[in-house]
Amino acid sequence: MPKVTSAAVPVRGCGSGLVAVVAGQELTAFVGAALEAAGARPADAELTAEVLVAADLVGAARHGVVRLLPYVRGLWGGTINGGARPEIVRRYGDVTVIDAHHGLGQPALAFAVDRAVEQARVRGAAAVSVQHSRHVGITAWYVGRAARGGAFGVITTRAAGSAGGAGRFWEGAVTSQFLMCVDRAAAGGVGRSVSVAPAGAGVVRPRLTLPVPVLEELGRIAALVKVTPVRELDRRRPTRSEDP
């Protein structure tokens, strides 16, 4: 197994450093290919890539593609189970407990959202707890998934083992999530029925900016996992508003 090494990747406060403009769809495809090459199931790799790029698109760069190297390291090292499938292990009335089996957090929490929405449609409200997952990224993405399914969602998380700072996430960290959904119709809100969005159904903007050191880090990952690197579209000095 190749040895994976990395240096700290600056995300915020890059000052006058260069930023690169890249195609969002190309970046999503690259991240998905890298995760799959490292051992993730294809559908899980695709969904995880979407969530990571979505974080960069909304400015939450600490939960974006800077997490890719720790994910690759975890998949290769066995601290992230690339073949894991979320499993419902307990039900207590309106409460469901899901075991992620130490897999990628994004597919596990997406699975939990879909189960919560389904249950909320039947019973009006639902609560789901996810155990033994890894880093899940930005929780707003999952709230949006619940909304597309016709429900209000509230998500809380607890993480252990994160060293803090961009590029320093410990791939073995365990996160636990508690998700609560209330069906809109049952809450007296909008009663329109909306199907739950499938994996990969999010919209990715055409272009986004990344600090050049992050882009260079992705190039090193591409060499390690033997996938096509992200193509840089432009280089320029960022203005204050463009500084990630």
Side-chain angles (χ1 to χ4, degrees):
M1 193 65 67
K3 182 179 180 180
V4 183
T5 59
S6 67
V9 179
V11 176
R12 295 186 181 277
C14 60
S16 61
L18 291 170
V19 297
V21 180
V22 299
Q25 291 180 340
E26 182 182 354
L27 181 60
T28 303
F30 165 78
V31 174
L35 291 170
E36 185 176 349
R41 295 171 57 239
D44 291 347
E46 179 183 358
L47 186 144
T48 301
E50 181 184 338
V51 179
L52 291 178
V53 174
D56 283 304
L57 287 170
V58 299
R62 291 184 183 275
H63 294 291
V65 297
V66 295
R67 301 291 189 181
L68 180 59
L69 181 58
Y71 284 18
V72 169
R73 184 190 293 119
L75 289 164
W76 270 347
T79 54
I80 297 178
N81 181 1
R85 294 176 182 269
E87 177 187 12
I88 297 175
V89 292
R90 293 184 185 86
R91 277 200 176 96
Y92 306 97
D94 295 336
V95 180
T96 300
V97 179
I98 293 174
D99 192 331
H101 297 297
H102 305 284
L104 289 164
Q106 287 84 351
L109 194 48
F111 176 84
V113 168
D114 294 351
R115 302 293 80 74
V117 170
E118 290 173 359
Q119 190 170 346
R121 287 176 178 173
V122 175
R123 305 178 67 93
V128 178
S129 174
V130 182
Q131 302 175 343
H132 307 134
S133 76
R134 294 301 187 249
H135 181 251
V136 300
I138 54 171
T139 56
W141 188 90
Y142 307 96
V143 174
R145 188 180 180 95
R148 292 192 296 272
F152 295 113
V154 178
I155 299 175
T156 62
T157 64
R158 179 183 64 83
S162 176
R168 298 191 181 97
F169 184 82
W170 177 43
E171 71 279 2
V174 176
T175 61
S176 299
Q177 298 83 36
F178 184 83
L179 169 71
M180 178 176 63
C181 278
V182 178
D183 180 71
R184 292 182 179 182
V190 180
R192 178 183 174 189
S193 176
V194 183
S195 60
V196 175
V203 177
V204 179
R205 296 180 193 171
R207 293 155 69 93
L208 72 158
T209 59
L210 291 175
V212 166
V214 174
L215 189 71
E216 293 172 347
E217 184 80 0
L218 297 181
R220 290 191 285 271
I221 294 172
L224 287 170
V225 298
K226 312 300 183 186
V227 297
T228 304
V230 179
R231 180 172 60 87
E232 182 182 345
L233 300 182
D234 188 21
R235 279 179 185 255
R236 55 196 168 91
R237 293 276 178 182
T239 64
R240 181 177 298 275
S241 62
E242 293 168 335
D243 192 352

